[in-house]
Amino acid sequence: MEILVVVRLCCNCTYALLYKPIDRVTRSTLVLHDLLKHTPADHPDYPLLQDALRISQNFLSSINEDIDPRRTAVTTPKGETRQLVKDGFLVELSEGSRKLRHVFLFTDVLLCAKLKKAAAGKHQQYDCKWYVPLADLVFPSPEESEHCPQVHVIPDHELEDMKMKISAIKSEVQKEKANKGQSRAIERLKKKMFENEFWLLLNSPAIPFRIHNRNGKSYLFLLSSDYERSEWREAIQKLQKKDLQAFVLSSLELQVLTGSCFKLRTVHNIPVTSNKDDDESPGLYGFLHVIVHSAKGFKQSANLYCTLEVDSFGYFVSKAKTRVFRDTTEPQWNEEFEIELEGSQSLRILCYEKCYDKTKLNKDNNEIVDKIMGKGQIQLDPQAVQTKNWHMDVIEMNGIKVEFSMKFTSRDMSLKRTPSKKQTGVFGVKISVVTKRERSKVPYIVRQCIEEVEKRGIEEVGIYRISGVATDIQALKAVFDANNKDILVMLSDMDINAIAGTLKLYFRELPEPLLTDRLYPAFMEGIALSDPAAKENCMMHLLRSLPDPNLITFLFLLEHLKRVAEKEPINKMSLHNLATVFGPTLLRPSEGESKAHLTLASDIWSHDVMAQVQVLLYYLQHPPISFTELKRNTLYFSTDV
């Protein structure tokens, strides 16, 4: 009895000394989170609460990293303990096709499994596809990867099409719920959405993650994020520092290990939005403005740059990249980026050392050989970021501190076309006013930006898709608005993505879209026509109905975009990609007209946007259109526009 009492006392002391303090921090973190939700952003205590929450979260994160996950342990038939360290869904390239696998990293083995279809009334189980003991696992270098299968990359336009379909289905689901539609119809839509999201999850990843068993076979996973690849590699390498022995699992051992996966897994659902509960946050839709200021904590001088990733449609994608700051331990980038968010909940920052050694470069374009110096992630709390003011923060990574600021602009705010109060400039001023003042047929800003892109940017990978530095774009905007005589010198020195971004911004800030508010409904009707002859007549008639400055500028831009697409094998920009970038910019109605077209924030890839893309794509795929021929040719079309 005395022994029992002592044991209980010891257990209570252990609980009080070890668990209670951590439990108190956990509860305090939850309280801080709730306080932030209900504290106005302009309240003097708001930044203090943010700092306190960040400190608490960092503390709990460090505790979680140090604690061995005892609850995720399995006992082998020999009585040894094998712990699950990490698991998740990865896309494997197997026999020439993409397969979604659930990968489990244990303390001494990496196991790749597939979830078997369970018969009615039976528990689900995993089927082991292969395993590699960590003692035998090696990461082949880029030079050694030549015999690995080539990665077939799905064209961007197919991925964008699928995103549009998914968002259109989401809109239908929301409408059905709002109208209290039949649950059977909603379930049908959700099933279709899951199928489309699954396809996107399977076909989007393109970054290779190669694993080799020194006793035989190699395996290839495809990831969408270099952050994720680094996490897997680091977790494996950390375990490999221990004294590991090579082994072969018996059929019984493999059966026990695979059987334990279902209970031990920490990732239960495929990361698609259709698996989310209705009360879960849908994420942010709109534009996140991020300034990457500087970094400290590097031990040696290096050539350093950062990339920014955000999640979208269930996976992370790289959205922006700073310039390389050479030979320094304290890079000062101070670069601003505008990142489009599509249901995003997290922002990741990765810091790299640039590799200039050509012998290390891989033939595979998707292989990233630059060394990751550090990486970090923050949650995009809607309450915290949806303020007009910049919010400064620091991400700590491997002893490195990256300082950045961010602010968020919602979709409805970012869609506004606001006329400029200063009519002497070019941004936010009607195109007819600008061309009349300049005595030109096409605005000077359009001619100069296009000329510069064709001179030195037509072969730039992702031209018009990759964001330019926002501060550079604003500098060019100010120079064009002031009609500064140094415009040409500034253009020749400026990064080409900033020039492309300035052209896009000019069309986006027109007080009325280039293809006009008046004709917008007719363009939407015309593109929906199924008869080719009727569609041709309608679409050409609509062009003739445009004011001359708008039409001439549109045709000028159209021929330029066709020339860009001719270089698609080099710049990766197809006609469809260009239509996706420019379609909404040239057609999206101004604020007064667009209110009828806007519903949910998540309709960023709505039916309207799809139609806007299709309108521009129709003209891009059409044989050359001459202004003179168009005006001379008087086809009669009965519809009044």
Side-chain angles (χ1 to χ4, degrees):
M1 181 65 75
E2 287 178 5
I3 294 170
L4 184 61
V5 170
V6 171
V7 168
R8 280 181 177 168
L9 283 170
C10 287
C11 287
N12 289 337
C13 289
T14 304
Y15 176 83
L17 290 170
L18 297 179
Y19 179 72
K20 269 194 170 181
I22 296 171
D23 183 47
R24 196 172 292 132
V25 175
T26 305
R27 280 183 288 166
S28 299
T29 304
L30 293 171
V31 170
L32 284 166
H33 198 274
D34 287 341
L35 275 170
L36 262 175
K37 267 189 179 179
H38 301 288
T39 303
D42 55 357
H43 193 279
D45 290 344
Y46 192 83
L48 297 173
L49 288 169
Q50 278 186 316
D51 288 341
L53 179 61
R54 189 176 76 246
I55 291 165
S56 296
Q57 287 174 333
N58 287 345
F59 171 75
L60 290 173
S61 178
S62 65
I63 290 292
N64 288 334
E65 285 176 6
D66 293 338
I67 294 174
D68 280 337
R70 298 288 174 192
R71 63 185 181 80
T72 57
V74 57
T75 305
T76 68
K78 293 177 182 177
E80 298 166 347
T81 301
R82 179 177 281 133
Q83 294 167 3
L84 177 66
V85 177
K86 181 178 175 64
D87 70 298
F89 289 96
L90 298 180
V91 174
E92 183 188 13
L93 195 62
S94 174
E95 297 174 352
S97 61
R98 294 169 180 247
K99 311 281 186 184
L100 191 66
R101 306 295 196 205
H102 200 146
V103 181
F104 296 85
L105 175 61
F106 290 92
T107 41
D108 61 348
V109 65
L110 185 74
L111 184 141
C112 180
K114 176 190 174 185
L115 194 61
K116 291 194 285 191
K117 288 184 180 178
K122 290 198 173 183
H123 291 296
Q124 282 190 307
Q125 288 293 328
Y126 281 98
D127 176 30
C128 176
K129 305 308 292 183
W130 51 265
Y131 73 90
V132 180
L134 297 191
D136 293 328
L137 189 152
V138 291
F139 298 111
S141 63
E143 309 92 76
E144 297 167 337
S145 303
E146 291 181 6
H147 300 297
C148 288
Q150 280 295 307
V151 179
H152 171 61
V153 180
I154 305 297
D156 282 347
H157 69 84
E158 289 185 29
L159 300 176
E160 296 301 332
D161 277 350
M162 187 56 74
K163 287 180 185 179
M164 291 180 182
K165 286 177 185 175
I166 291 166
S167 292
I169 296 171
K170 279 183 185 175
S171 298
E172 288 183 53
V173 170
Q174 295 295 337
K175 285 171 189 171
E176 284 286 340
K177 285 180 179 178
N179 298 331
K180 296 183 179 177
Q182 292 184 354
S183 58
R184 195 175 295 174
I186 293 172
E187 286 307 310
R188 269 200 309 270
L189 287 169
K190 282 189 171 181
K191 184 182 176 185
K192 185 66 179 172
M193 186 163 75
F194 176 82
E195 290 170 359
N196 289 347
E197 285 191 307
F198 185 83
W199 182 92
L200 194 62
L201 190 71
L202 203 60
N203 290 286
S204 296
I207 297 174
F209 178 42
R210 308 176 196 277
I211 284 168
H212 179 66
N213 184 337
R214 68 172 89 244
N215 295 322
K217 200 172 175 185
S218 291
Y219 305 95
L220 174 59
F221 292 110
L222 298 175
L223 283 66
S224 61
S225 157
D226 202 25
Y227 189 105
E228 188 182 2
R229 180 171 69 167
S230 176
E231 278 190 323
W232 278 99
R233 185 175 282 157
E234 285 172 10
I236 291 169
Q237 288 173 337
K238 185 178 178 181
L239 293 169
Q240 287 180 325
K241 288 177 182 176
K242 299 172 184 176
D243 184 23
L244 298 174
Q245 302 296 317
F247 59 84
V248 176
L249 292 173
S250 67
S251 56
L252 174 61
E253 287 175 317
L254 186 58
Q255 187 179 343
V256 169
L257 184 62
T258 308
S260 70
C261 287
F262 189 78
K263 289 181 180 177
L264 298 182
R265 62 184 181 165
T266 61
V267 181
H268 293 80
N269 295 318
I270 297 168
V272 293
T273 55
S274 44
N275 278 338
K276 285 185 178 180
D277 296 331
D278 289 343
D279 58 349
E280 282 189 65
S281 169
L284 292 168
Y285 289 83
F287 291 91
L288 185 69
H289 301 264
V290 181
I291 301 175
V292 183
H293 295 294
S294 59
K296 294 178 181 177
F298 297 99
K299 293 174 183 175
Q300 295 179 327
S301 290
N303 303 312
L304 304 164
Y305 69 93
C306 284
T307 63
L308 307 178
E309 294 182 353
V310 293
D311 56 319
S312 146
F313 293 90
Y315 59 94
F316 278 83
V317 286
S318 184
K319 287 283 191 175
K321 177 182 173 182
T322 68
R323 68 186 185 278
V324 178
F325 215 95
R326 294 190 174 231
D327 195 24
T328 183
T329 56
E330 294 191 5
Q332 300 281 332
W333 293 291
N334 292 314
E335 291 185 62
E336 183 185 338
F337 300 94
E338 183 183 77
I339 298 171
E340 189 172 3
L341 303 183
E342 302 163 299
S344 307
Q345 294 179 313
S346 301
L347 169 70
R348 289 172 171 176
I349 298 183
L350 295 92
C351 194
Y352 291 87
E353 179 182 357
K354 182 70 179 172
C355 172
Y356 289 107
D357 185 351
K358 292 184 179 179
T359 62
K360 292 184 179 179
L361 297 179
N362 191 4
K363 293 175 184 177
D364 187 343
N365 290 333
N366 295 304
E367 189 75 85
I368 299 167
V369 295
D370 296 341
K371 181 183 177 183
I372 294 181
M373 304 298 287
K375 63 187 191 307
Q377 174 174 312
I378 60 160
Q379 293 299 113
L380 295 174
D381 182 358
Q383 299 291 330
V385 298
Q386 291 196 46
T387 62
K388 291 180 181 179
N389 302 320
W390 286 95
H391 164 65
M392 187 173 276
D393 209 336
V394 175
I395 283 186
E396 296 190 29
M397 43 175 93
N398 300 351
I400 300 163
K401 293 182 179 181
V402 176
E403 193 177 83
F404 67 99
S405 299
M406 61 181 179
K407 68 176 180 178
F408 173 73
T409 309
S410 63
R411 174 166 153 71
D412 54 341
M413 289 297 292
S414 64
L415 284 179
K416 284 185 178 179
R417 290 184 184 270
T418 309
S420 173
K421 292 175 183 176
K422 185 183 175 185
Q423 290 294 300
T424 54
V426 292
F427 283 83
V429 179
K430 283 188 176 183
I431 200 164
S432 56
V433 173
V434 173
T435 51
K436 187 177 180 181
R437 185 205 310 143
E438 294 178 351
R439 296 179 182 176
S440 62
K441 293 182 177 179
V442 176
Y444 179 70
I445 182 173
V446 176
R447 286 182 281 127
Q448 288 307 128
C449 287
I450 284 177
E451 183 181 317
E452 200 64 34
V453 168
E454 294 199 356
K455 190 190 297 180
R456 58 187 179 93
I458 203 159
E459 294 187 351
E460 182 81 11
V461 174
I463 188 71
Y464 290 120
R465 181 175 55 79
I466 290 176
S467 300
V469 177
T471 42
D472 289 347
I473 293 170
Q474 289 303 316
L476 281 171
K477 176 183 176 181
V479 169
F480 275 111
D481 267 340
N483 194 22
N484 193 305
K485 59 183 179 181
D486 295 328
I487 288 175
L488 294 179
V489 175
M490 195 169 177
L491 278 174
S492 62
D493 291 339
M494 194 64 76
D495 174 65
I496 200 65
N497 287 315
I499 294 168
T502 303
L503 182 65
K504 288 189 294 180
L505 183 68
Y506 169 73
F507 286 118
R508 197 163 80 203
E509 290 196 356
L510 282 174
E512 181 185 51
L514 188 65
L515 299 187
T516 72
D517 285 328
R518 182 177 66 89
L519 295 177
Y520 182 76
F523 275 114
M524 295 298 99
E525 289 171 15
I527 199 63
L529 293 172
S530 54
D531 179 69
K535 182 183 280 191
E536 167 78 9
N537 285 346
C538 176
M539 299 302 276
M540 291 304 113
H541 178 73
L542 288 170
L543 284 188
R544 281 193 299 278
S545 304
L546 286 169
D548 282 1
N550 298 56
L551 176 57
I552 296 168
T553 302
F554 178 67
L555 295 179
F556 187 77
L557 176 66
L558 205 62
E559 291 310 305
H560 164 65
L561 295 179
K562 287 181 181 181
R563 288 191 290 273
V564 171
E566 286 172 5
K567 300 287 185 179
E568 183 192 351
I570 302 168
N571 62 30
K572 312 298 182 191
M573 292 301 289
S574 63
L575 289 175
H576 197 289
N577 287 345
L578 293 163
T580 303
V581 170
F582 277 94
T585 302
L586 300 178
L587 279 133
R588 189 193 72 242
S590 52
E591 188 186 358
E593 297 293 324
S594 63
K595 282 182 180 174
H597 302 284
L598 279 177
T599 51
L600 296 165
S602 55
D603 288 349
I604 197 156
W605 291 109
S606 63
H607 174 74
D608 271 9
V609 175
M610 290 170 68
Q612 290 160 12
V613 171
Q614 290 303 316
V615 167
L616 181 55
L617 187 60
Y618 180 86
Y619 291 122
L620 284 170
Q621 292 173 336
H622 196 279
I625 304 166
S626 159
F627 175 81
T628 310
E629 288 294 317
L630 203 59
K631 288 294 184 180
R632 189 187 303 146
N633 192 0
T634 53
L635 292 171
Y636 294 98
F637 187 65
S638 58
T639 301
D640 184 22
V641 292

